[in-house]
């Protein structure tokens, strides 16, 4: 009886393919025609999702993207939280911004070769710097750059990036003594973030914390 059941079940299992075989060649051709389109769409969708995913993660964790879109050509001063530093100033690409004590909120003293290591945040002609969320627009300004043009300032301090920060989210220049003095990051309040071992009355900076 067991063998009989197996034989009887064979037609039932093969019935579905037989019913669906009015044009088997057509079924085989349809996937071939749609496959390149589906594959291209899937690749495009995956690329978009991957980009969105990485951007969202960067924004939430390291803050590498501005929250608002600046005017074309207008530099953006934004802020992001860094481990061990708290909320500090960054540019529109998420690059950490630094101040240089010898500038003394009066002049851009890092010029020529110094700017090779510390590129200043330049201000195109006829444009004003923009403040991102949490940044005080009233503290933004500019000073003439002896090398040409103007440099964006915050609370009077010219702002620079650091060539040693290889990607957004790094602050390798914090507390680094290079080109004549140490360099420090700045809070959105305008306060300078000075490491504890740099607290020296002889080199006290007005506004340092």
């Amino acid at each position: 009886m067991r063998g009989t059941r197996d034989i009887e079940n064979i037609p039932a299992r093969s019935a579905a393919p037989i019913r669906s075989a009015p044009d088997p060649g057509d079924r085989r051709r349809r996937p071939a025609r749609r496959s390149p389109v589906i594959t291209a769409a899937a690749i495009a969708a995956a690329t978009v999702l991957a980009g969105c995913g990485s951007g969202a993660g960067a924004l939430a964790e390291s803050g590498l993207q501005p929250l608002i879109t600046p005017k074309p050509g207008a530099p953006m001063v934004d802020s992001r939280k860094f481990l061990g530093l708290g909320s500090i100033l960054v540019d529109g690409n998420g690059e950490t911004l630094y101040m240089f004590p010898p500038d003394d909120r009066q002049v851009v003293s890092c010029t020529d070769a110094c700017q090779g290591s510390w590129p200043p945040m330049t201000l195109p002609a006829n444009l004003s710097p923009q403040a991102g969320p949490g940044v005080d627009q009233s503290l933004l300004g500019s000073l003439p750059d002896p090398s040409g043009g103007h440099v964006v300032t915050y609370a009077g301090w010219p702002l620079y990036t650091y060539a040693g920060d290889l990607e957004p989210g790094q602050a390798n220049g914090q507390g680094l003594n290079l080109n004549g003095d140490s360099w420090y990051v700045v809070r959105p309040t305008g306060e300078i973030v000075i490491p504890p071992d740099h607290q020296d009355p002889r080199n006290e900076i007005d506004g340092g914390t």
Side-chain angles (χ1 to χ4, degrees):
M1 295 297 290
R2 184 176 303 172
T4 302
R5 293 194 192 95
D6 293 341
I7 293 171
E8 291 174 350
N9 288 335
I10 290 174
R13 293 173 181 166
S14 60
I18 292 171
R19 287 196 303 269
S20 62
D23 190 355
D26 187 59
R27 292 193 77 187
R28 287 193 298 271
R29 286 194 299 273
R30 287 177 187 169
R33 287 196 302 268
R34 289 198 302 260
S35 179
V37 177
I38 294 172
T39 301
I43 293 173
T47 302
V48 172
L49 289 174
C52 292
S54 60
L59 179 62
E61 297 176 7
S62 302
L64 307 184
Q65 299 295 330
L67 295 178
I68 61 176
T69 303
K71 297 177 182 178
M76 165 77 76
V77 178
D78 209 338
S79 66
R80 293 294 182 267
K81 289 185 178 179
F82 280 64
L83 184 63
L85 294 175
S87 184
I88 61 174
L89 299 182
V90 299
D91 67 11
N93 295 318
E95 300 281 352
T96 300
L97 295 170
Y98 302 86
M99 56 74 63
F100 191 44
D103 289 345
D104 198 24
R105 295 199 274 203
Q106 298 180 44
V107 65
V108 177
S109 63
C110 176
T111 60
D112 301 324
C114 175
Q115 294 187 359
S117 298
W118 306 93
M121 189 177 195
T122 58
L123 181 64
N126 302 318
L127 289 176
S128 300
Q130 287 190 279
V135 175
D136 190 340
Q137 182 74 42
S138 68
L139 295 180
L140 287 170
S142 66
L143 281 173
D145 184 352
S147 300
H150 286 74
V151 175
V152 176
T153 62
Y154 196 77
W157 294 105
L159 299 176
Y160 308 81
T161 56
Y162 176 45
D165 290 338
L166 302 181
E167 60 184 22
Q170 296 183 342
N172 297 320
Q174 169 64 354
L176 183 64
N177 192 308
L178 188 64
N179 298 102
D181 209 326
S182 298
W183 298 74
Y184 303 108
V185 297
V186 184
R187 299 195 190 282
T189 58
E191 296 174 323
I192 301 162
V193 183
I194 306 177
D197 60 349
H198 284 226
Q199 297 286 7
D200 186 339
R202 293 170 298 178
N203 297 314
E204 190 175 60
I205 300 175
D206 182 27
T209 58

